[in-house]
Amino acid sequence: MKKTAPAPVNSRNSTALRTPAEPATPTALLLRGNLFAEKCPSRQILTHVTSRWGVLILVALLDGTHRFSELRRRIGGVSERMLSQTLQWLEADGFVTRTAYPVVPPRVEYSLTPLGREVSEQVRQLTDWIEENLGRIGAGQPADGAE
Amino acid sequence: MKKTAPAPVNSRNSTALRTPAEPATPTALLLRGNLFAEKCPSRQILTHVTSRWGVLILVALLDGTHRFSELRRRIGGVSERMLSQTLQWLEADGFVTRTAYPVVPPRVEYSLTPLGREVSEQVRQLTDWIEENLGRIGAGQPADGAE
DNA sequence: CGGGATCCGTTACGATACTG
DNA sequence: CAGTATCGTAACGGATCCCG
């Protein structure tokens, strides 16, 4: 009997991923619980999760598995480059699962891990708050129209 | 009777502040409730709140008023420029109150507005989650040591 | 002396084109 | 369809100067 479904490949060859900034400073004090410490691992994670597209990706994946192009279409304004990059960060952090089906045309699906679902819930609470309180925000904001 | 305390000046002259990116796209569909729409106001706010330093500033201000230099010292790695810039965003959004005392040496204090306190609480829940679950994060991460 | 506006180098970002 | 490579642009980060 032959395989009807191609064996999906999870993750890629674990290419070492680094966060963009964080230029490394002398004092390497790892204050684990201190978010404000520059070298704290939590800062790294926070950078990924709260990155411009990370937030939207996590929230988007809350309603289930999505393909690359679906995410791209859904998240307005994201470039392929950044979508790919951010997904790799989140995958390396253990928040997102990447499943590639070796078919043609290629099919890659992204979904949240149990851990990822937890963060996403937290992120979602934040975004929900913002959307619900939009009317109260920006009192006195110059409404950027002119440069 | 003369004033014992100098009159503090709240906010500056409302210099028009714009977010860095968001290059303006053709379709100006304002889907108010849709975070994924590029032009949605909530995206603007989200960008400020989840910006690299915005998160840390909001959390830092949760325990009360802080001076500029205090924030700078507390938030490891932030430059004066970015701290100032981010504070201006948050002020324009109505999250942060800037109070400048016309004394010498100058004294400027930043604190959360009631609205700002609400977002900060949301942000805090996220950062707390990250710190508490650090041990579970990064399973399989290549532990980037060399480049 | 504290804060932020300016100049300049570095780096991430966004768009396009190309590969599997 | 799902990315990676390359390049131009613009934001970021640091140092300095200026103002109060």
Side-chain angles (χ1 to χ4, degrees), chain B residues 17-20 47-48 51 85-93:
Chain B
L17 298 175
R18 300 189 67 255
T19 12
T47 301
H48 297 167
S51 68
Q85 176 113 4
T86 308
L87 281 167
Q88 288 179 43
W89 291 344
L90 297 177
E91 186 194 357
D93 291 336

Side-chain angles (χ1 to χ4, degrees), chain B residues 5-54:
Chain B
V9 178
N10 278 50
S11 181
R12 66 204 75 203
N13 293 335
S14 290
T15 316
L17 298 175
R18 300 189 67 255
T19 12
E22 227 66 22
T25 38
T27 45
L29 301 173
L30 296 185
L31 302 178
R32 193 195 151 284
N34 188 4
L35 191 75
F36 298 111
E38 202 173 354
K39 309 282 298 183
C40 182
S42 51
R43 276 277 280 269
Q44 190 87 348
I45 305 300
L46 190 68
T47 301
H48 297 167
V49 172
T50 66
S51 68
R52 185 107 158 257
W53 308 115

